[in-house]
Amino acid sequence: MSQDWITIVSGLPRSGTSMMMRMVVAAGTPVLTDALRPADEDNPHGYFEFEPVKRTRQDPSWLDQARGRVVKMVHLLLLDLPHGHDYRVIMMHRDLDEVIASQAKMLARFGRAGAPAEMLRRVYTAQLQQVKARLATHPRLESIEVGYSEVLRDPAGQSARVAGFLGVAGGAAAMAGAVDRSLYRNRIATVREPRISDQ
């Protein structure tokens, strides 16, 4: 993988971004994280977050240290990526009902209630349309879409796809080995991944 690329794992909250981060790191890509958010019941293998990412619009200087590394970024923050860097984005997708159910359970553990499911579905659909336009028009950005349930059904096949995209084909087996199928909770029967191209 080029030392100048910035690899970004992105998607809706609870869409499998932490799982994909673990996979990419297992393939040998250095991670950019501050480890401020510890692993917990919702993400037992860790969150892989980096706090400066949240302030990208105001201060994108952290991107200089992200070259040659992988960093996690929630979907809407992709809209704030400046020109001047080469990005490779792995966009995770998960059935919206599963995303919303997973978020609701996480919030419930903290005694909080989320927004109504139908409202979230509309909001997320509109946001994904924005992100699609951004990915399509950014002059120095390439992306691949990866389904959460597809990774869990076929870790080897999906790992090979992602490894090929990143130019680390030799790391595909390690990526597949990092997939923890026991964490597929909030499963919805007959899942169809909501891809950006469907929006």
Side-chain angles (χ1 to χ4, degrees), residues 178-191:
V179 176
D180 186 349
R181 287 173 161 172
S182 70
L183 295 181
Y184 194 3
R185 300 167 290 200
N186 308 297
R187 184 194 305 258
I188 303 296
T190 316
V191 165

Side-chain angles (χ1 to χ4, degrees), residues 90-110:
I90 303 169
M91 193 71 190
M92 296 299 298
H93 295 285
R94 186 177 183 182
D95 178 84
L96 287 180
D97 289 333
E98 292 189 354
V99 166
I100 293 167
S102 181
Q103 287 179 336
K105 288 187 177 181
M106 175 183 277
L107 290 172
R109 291 190 184 102
F110 295 95

Side-chain angles (χ1 to χ4, degrees), residues 38-95:
D40 58 21
E41 182 178 348
D42 295 299
N43 269 15
H45 297 300
Y47 284 87
F48 298 95
E49 294 180 353
F50 187 56
E51 193 68 18
V53 169
K54 300 175 183 177
R55 302 186 296 273
T56 301
R57 181 178 298 179
Q58 295 80 15
D59 180 12
S61 61
W62 66 268
L63 288 161
D64 290 330
Q65 44 181 317
R67 291 176 177 169
R69 298 185 180 187
V70 60
V71 64
K72 189 168 83 167
M73 176 176 279
V74 74
H75 64 298
L76 279 181
L77 293 179
L78 293 176
L79 303 175
D80 298 333
L81 288 175
H83 297 179
H85 299 279
D86 292 314
Y87 305 102
R88 300 295 182 272
V89 176
I90 303 169
M91 193 71 190
M92 296 299 298
H93 295 285
R94 186 177 183 182
D95 178 84

Side-chain angles (χ1 to χ4, degrees), residues 4-36:
D4 292 327
W5 293 357
I6 297 172
T7 301
I8 297 172
V9 174
S10 188
L12 293 170
R14 310 305 296 165
S15 65
T17 52
S18 296
M19 175 186 71
M20 181 54 66
M21 286 290 292
R22 188 166 179 252
M23 292 168 64
V24 175
V25 170
T29 303
V31 64
L32 182 61
T33 178
D34 47 30
L36 293 178

